[in-house]
Amino acid sequence: MIFVKCLIIFIACMAISVHYNVKGNLVLFVAIGGAMTFFTYEISSPLQSVILQNFLASVIASIYSESLARIIKVPATTFLIISIIPLVPGSNLYRSMELCINKEIAKFASSTLETLGIAGAIALGILLVSSLFRFAYVIIHIKPHLPHYNRNNQGN
């Protein structure tokens, strides 16, 4: 059953990538990212925390996007934006607004906090991985070329 859902997500991400004018073989890579993100979300369900599931799935989507961006030489956002679409808490947001309109304030507050938690978890996962990749880039490519880094220079 999980593979059927992943196949549906794969097809949906392909359609969305065509809508966003992703060209050529990138459509396939973007769709794989979306399916992989949803698969991670589904297999992490034993954690019994929707927020943690979204965090882990967004970390996987970010790692995939950042890695593939360096391999294919395309901006990471090309892969990332469509890969995280399966995680977007649209139904939670709709439910929150419906509860607000029906004046069920306690349920509205609870639902809204959960929705904000999911959105925050997705953003935090992306931020964490993106920061680590940029930090690694600086260490590998920039720091060895700085004058004070070269120990043999002795300030000359």
Side-chain angles (χ1 to χ4, degrees):
M1 187 65 177
I2 189 171
F3 294 109
V4 173
K5 290 179 182 179
C6 287
L7 179 63
I8 292 169
I9 293 292
F10 178 83
I11 293 168
C13 287
M14 283 184 78
I16 293 168
S17 65
V18 168
H19 176 73
Y20 282 119
N21 293 322
V22 176
K23 302 292 183 198
N25 292 337
L26 295 180
V27 171
L28 181 65
F29 292 122
V30 167
I32 289 170
M36 189 170 39
T37 301
F38 183 75
F39 182 75
T40 303
Y41 177 82
E42 286 291 315
I43 64 168
S44 62
S45 62
L47 297 173
Q48 296 181 348
S49 170
V50 177
I51 293 174
L52 190 55
Q53 285 177 265
N54 279 284
F55 175 75
L56 291 176
S58 69
V59 165
I60 295 299
S62 297
I63 290 171
Y64 176 77
S65 300
E66 293 284 346
S67 300
L68 211 55
R70 277 138 185 88
I71 294 169
I72 300 179
K73 308 284 191 245
V74 174
T77 54
T78 303
F79 306 105
L80 185 61
I81 290 172
I82 297 172
S83 293
I84 63 167
I85 284 178
L87 302 178
V88 174
S91 62
N92 289 25
L93 187 58
Y94 177 83
R95 191 175 315 111
S96 296
M97 293 301 104
E98 185 179 31
L99 291 168
C100 180
I101 290 170
N102 293 334
K103 295 183 171 86
E104 297 180 39
I105 303 303
K107 290 180 183 178
F108 164 71
S110 174
S111 180
T112 301
L113 287 176
E114 183 183 31
T115 304
L116 291 174
I118 291 169
I122 294 168
L124 186 62
I126 294 168
L127 177 69
L128 177 70
V129 172
S130 179
S131 297
L132 289 175
F133 267 80
R134 297 207 194 292
F135 181 71
Y137 178 83
V138 168
I139 297 298
I140 293 169
H141 292 98
I142 297 175
K143 191 171 181 182
H145 301 293
L146 296 175
H148 67 277
Y149 183 74
N150 189 352
R151 295 179 195 261
N152 298 330
N153 193 359
Q154 299 298 326
N156 292 331

